[in-house]
């Protein structure tokens, strides 16, 4: 009888979680459509008169284009400039600086695949996922073509600042390691010094226990539970890609085009094979959720370095507090409805007693502070399986001048999506954090000489 009650509660939780996620997805989609329609009507009926733009000379002699770009890399289910119309994943933060790029990468593709896509987005050319990797995971070796790179001069003398949210931070780390290992065919001169700084916003460095609540099996971190939120997501994504509605995929794309899960190529039987788990990214494990388990993150981290000439910064978020030694959500109003159930569940996390712990010295209490998507311990800096150099920051001025090769991290009272999508919800914290990021990139992070900003005398 007790077992049936447990099953009933699990089913109820699944239904509620699924409903909340679907409603939030529809909210994002409808907001983007409404914004585009509003803009189209404004342009149609209230088109301003053409004005002649007069450009004045920059007294400092420095052109904006000479500054290294700041590249904002989105997380899971995210999107870049050009998707969802004029809607901004980073809630307009990209407008805070004259030299910001917002690439659109696969929203559910693996961190490896996204790192490859990011390289060619910047340098240009056709995305090459690598022959060995492509054969191992059953997808095409080549993907999207960028006729012209968004920063083709990128090299050691023209390095880049990266800001990654959630899984986007780990994407940049994997890309930097690929540059150090010279993993891009035709580019034998790459090095880790192509990356000037990495800033992480709620970065997924060491995995998250949320993956197990959503449906990943805690014993291996690769397979999914038969009935779970991720299984419903898997089915929806396969059908979405198989239907291949061009205008819809132009508006939002999960990023699995290189798996060719299209109606014209697979047919009805191919769809059945994908749904049964015999083909596609979910069958081979080449998608982002396997990378976000503790096991998957540890495997990835085992060959990722913190490099001595790169500056590293991290903002770790949490929406929990301790009362009499028990971790609980820190209030209801400060947590987004999309995340509240997961904040509560993750704060009470217990590793299954019949499953070996993921690493030596593991303790449940270390993984209970969270922001609804990631555990706070995972976001500060890379620490599994090897602890990387780090320093807790309370006041920014305390760590100036900055030193490369160290992860400077702050703990921020916020949930996982406070600094994306909805700027009004974040309030003054939004501007404080993004302003500090852009100011640090422009004024405090450099290798040779300080940068001269436009309209600012040396």
């Amino acid at each position: 009888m007790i077992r049936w009650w447990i099953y009933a509660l699990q089913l109820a939780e699944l239904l509620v979680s699924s409903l909340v996620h679907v409603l939030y997805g529809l909210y994002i989609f409808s907001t983007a459509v409404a914004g585009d329609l509003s803009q189209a009507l404004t342009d149609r009926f209230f088109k301003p008169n053409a004005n002649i733009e007069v450009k004045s000379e920059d007294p400092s002699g420095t052109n904006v284009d000479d500054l290294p770009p700041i590249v904002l890399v989105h997380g899971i289910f995210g999107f870049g400039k050009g998707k969802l119309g004029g809607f901004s994943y980073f809630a307009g933060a990209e407008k805070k600086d004259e030299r910001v790029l917002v690439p659109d990468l696969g929203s559910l593709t693996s961190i490896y695949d996204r790192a490859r896509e990011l390289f060619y987005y910047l340098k240009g050319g056709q995305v090459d996922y690598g022959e060995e990797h492509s054969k191992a995971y059953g997808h095409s070796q080549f993907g999207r073509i960028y006729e012209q790179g968004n920063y083709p001069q990128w090299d050691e003398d023209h390095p880049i600042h990266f800001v990654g949210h959630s899984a986007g931070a780990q994407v940049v780390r994997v890309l930097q390691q690929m540059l150090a290992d010279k993993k891009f065919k035709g580019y034998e001169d790459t090095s880790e010094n192509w990356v000037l700084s990495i800033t992480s916003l709620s970065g997924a460095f060491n995995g998250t226990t949320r993956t197990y609540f959503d449906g990943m099996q805690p014993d291996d971190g690769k397979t999914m539970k038969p009935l779970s939120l991720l299984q419903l997501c898997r089915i929806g994504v396969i059908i979405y890609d198989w239907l291949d509605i061009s205008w819809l995929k132009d508006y939002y794309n999960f990023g699995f085009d290189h798996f060719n899960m299209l109606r014209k190529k697979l047919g009805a039987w191919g769809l059945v094979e994908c749904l049964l788990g015999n083909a596609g990214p979910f069958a081979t494990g080449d998608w982002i959720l396997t990378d976000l388990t503790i096991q998957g993150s540890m495997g990835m981290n085992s060959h990722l370095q913190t490099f001595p000439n790169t500056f590293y910064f991290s903002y770790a978020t949490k929406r929990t507090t301790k009362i009499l030694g028990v971790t609980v959500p820190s209030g209801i109003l400060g947590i987004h409805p999309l995340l509240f159930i997961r904040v509560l569940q993750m704060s009470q996390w217990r590793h299954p007693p019949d499953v070996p712990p993921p690493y030596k010295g593991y303790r449940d209490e270390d993984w209970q502070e969270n922001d609804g998507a990631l555990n706070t311990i995972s976001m500060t800096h890379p620490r599994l399986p090897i602890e990387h150099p780090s320093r807790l920051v309370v006041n920014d001025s305390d760590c100036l001048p900055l030193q490369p090769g160290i992860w400077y991290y702050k703990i921020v009272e916020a949930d996982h999506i406070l600094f994306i999508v909805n700027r009004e919800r974040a309030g003054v914290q939004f501007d404080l954090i993004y302003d500090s990021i852009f100011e640090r990139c422009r004024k405090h992070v450099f290798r040779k000489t300080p940068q001269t900003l436009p309209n600012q005398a040396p």
Side-chain angles (χ1 to χ4, degrees):
M1 188 66 177
I2 295 177
R3 180 179 296 179
W4 285 107
W5 272 110
I6 293 175
Y7 288 153
L9 288 173
Q10 291 175 339
L11 181 59
E13 187 275 327
L14 175 60
L15 292 175
V16 171
S17 295
S18 301
L19 181 61
V20 170
H21 282 78
V22 169
L23 289 176
Y24 187 67
L26 291 175
Y27 159 74
I28 296 294
F29 191 84
S30 61
T31 300
V33 172
D36 289 349
L37 289 176
S38 175
Q39 185 62 48
L41 291 173
T42 300
D43 294 342
R44 175 68 177 83
F45 295 106
F46 303 100
K47 189 175 183 180
N49 295 326
N51 294 318
I52 298 176
E53 182 181 359
V54 179
K55 294 186 177 180
S56 58
E57 289 292 327
D58 179 7
S60 71
T62 301
N63 192 300
V64 170
D65 293 338
D66 293 334
L67 294 172
I70 299 172
V71 182
L72 305 183
V73 184
H74 64 76
I76 186 172
F77 286 110
F79 51 92
K81 187 176 182 181
K83 295 296 182 182
L84 287 182
F87 201 71
S88 170
Y89 178 86
F90 287 94
E94 61 270 24
K95 298 177 182 178
K96 285 181 170 289
D97 188 273
E98 294 292 329
R99 197 77 173 92
V100 178
L101 299 173
V102 190
D104 180 65
L105 309 175
S107 67
L108 283 180
T109 50
S110 66
I111 287 176
Y112 174 96
D113 287 356
R114 293 180 65 191
R116 306 292 294 188
E117 293 162 8
L118 181 54
F119 176 86
Y120 291 98
Y121 165 88
L122 293 164
K123 289 295 287 184
Q126 186 171 23
V127 176
D128 183 353
Y129 295 104
E131 182 179 2
E132 183 179 348
H133 173 86
S134 303
K135 287 182 177 179
Y137 290 99
H139 61 69
S140 299
Q141 180 179 347
F142 300 100
R144 180 175 175 178
I145 298 175
Y146 293 96
E147 297 291 350
Q148 183 176 355
N150 287 272
Y151 193 58
Q153 62 267 48
W154 185 28
D155 59 20
E156 190 166 322
D157 295 323
H158 302 86
I160 288 177
H161 298 285
F162 288 93
V163 179
H165 175 252
S166 190
Q170 194 75 322
V171 168
V172 178
R173 292 190 66 223
V174 170
L175 173 60
Q176 186 178 29
Q177 189 66 53
M178 289 178 178
L179 294 171
D181 296 339
K182 306 186 186 308
K183 292 292 186 179
F184 295 95
K185 189 176 181 179
Y187 296 91
E188 284 72 27
D189 61 340
T190 63
S191 78
E192 65 274 13
N193 292 328
W194 285 31
V195 179
L196 183 51
S197 75
I198 297 177
T199 300
S200 165
L201 288 171
S202 306
F205 296 133
N206 304 287
T208 170
T209 57
R210 170 161 179 170
T211 58
Y212 310 122
F213 287 112
D214 285 347
M216 299 302 290
Q217 296 281 13
D219 56 341
D220 62 3
K222 296 179 180 179
T223 56
M224 280 186 280
K225 300 172 185 175
L227 185 62
S228 64
L229 183 63
L230 291 181
Q231 285 286 6
L232 297 179
C233 172
R234 179 185 74 87
I235 293 170
V237 170
I238 290 173
I239 294 175
Y240 186 94
D241 263 32
W242 185 81
L243 290 174
D244 193 27
I245 303 173
S246 58
W247 66 268
L248 195 57
K249 291 185 72 173
D250 286 341
Y251 210 62
Y252 184 84
N253 195 336
F254 292 105
F256 291 123
D257 291 345
H258 52 306
F259 277 91
N260 299 308
M261 296 187 298
L262 311 178
R263 181 181 67 254
K264 293 180 180 179
K265 292 189 176 183
L266 291 183
W269 180 247
L271 172 63
V272 172
E273 285 288 290
C274 286
L275 291 175
L276 291 176
N278 299 326
F282 307 103
T284 62
D286 194 27
W287 70 303
I288 200 165
L289 261 297
T290 58
D291 295 332
L292 296 181
T293 61
I294 296 176
Q295 298 95 325
S297 295
M298 287 180 62
M300 190 179 305
N301 285 339
S302 64
H303 68 273
L304 297 182
Q305 302 175 58
T306 292
F307 293 97
N309 293 325
T310 300
F311 295 84
Y312 299 92
F313 313 93
S314 175
Y315 295 84
T317 45
K318 74 182 184 77
R319 262 301 175 204
T320 55
T321 188
K322 284 189 178 295
I323 299 178
L324 299 176
V326 179
T327 306
V328 295
S330 55
I332 297 177
L333 298 180
I335 304 174
H336 194 283
L338 181 71
L339 301 172
F340 183 79
I341 291 178
R342 290 296 185 257
V343 170
L344 178 60
Q345 290 176 318
M346 293 172 69
S347 69
Q348 303 302 309
W349 166 254
R350 297 289 186 275
H351 191 74
D354 57 335
V355 176
Y359 59 90
K360 185 178 180 180
Y362 168 87
R363 300 189 311 165
D364 284 332
E365 53 266 36
D366 293 336
W367 291 84
Q368 290 175 348
E369 285 190 338
N370 71 89
D371 66 359
L374 296 175
N375 312 87
T376 306
I377 189 177
S378 179
M379 293 182 271
T380 58
H381 61 284
R383 58 172 78 226
L384 296 173
I386 298 173
E387 184 98 10
H388 290 229
S390 65
R391 179 178 174 182
L392 173 64
V393 176
V394 178
N395 299 310
D396 290 346
S397 59
D398 294 342
C399 54
L400 294 176
L402 296 167
Q403 299 295 319
I406 299 173
W407 283 93
Y408 294 95
Y409 70 91
K410 278 187 172 184
I411 306 295
V412 181
E413 291 289 335
D415 63 34
H416 194 69
I417 59 175
L418 190 70
F419 304 114
I420 60 171
V421 178
N422 190 336
R423 184 172 186 169
E424 288 71 25
R425 177 173 177 263
V428 68
Q429 270 191 303
F430 182 95
D431 292 301
L432 288 174
I433 284 193
Y434 278 109
D435 286 346
S436 68
I437 291 172
F438 290 127
E439 180 181 7
R440 184 168 58 236
C441 289
R442 296 305 184 208
K443 292 185 178 181
H444 301 294
V445 174
F446 47 86
R447 289 206 181 110
K448 296 178 181 177
T449 58
Q451 304 163 76
T452 300
L453 300 183
N455 302 318
Q456 182 183 51

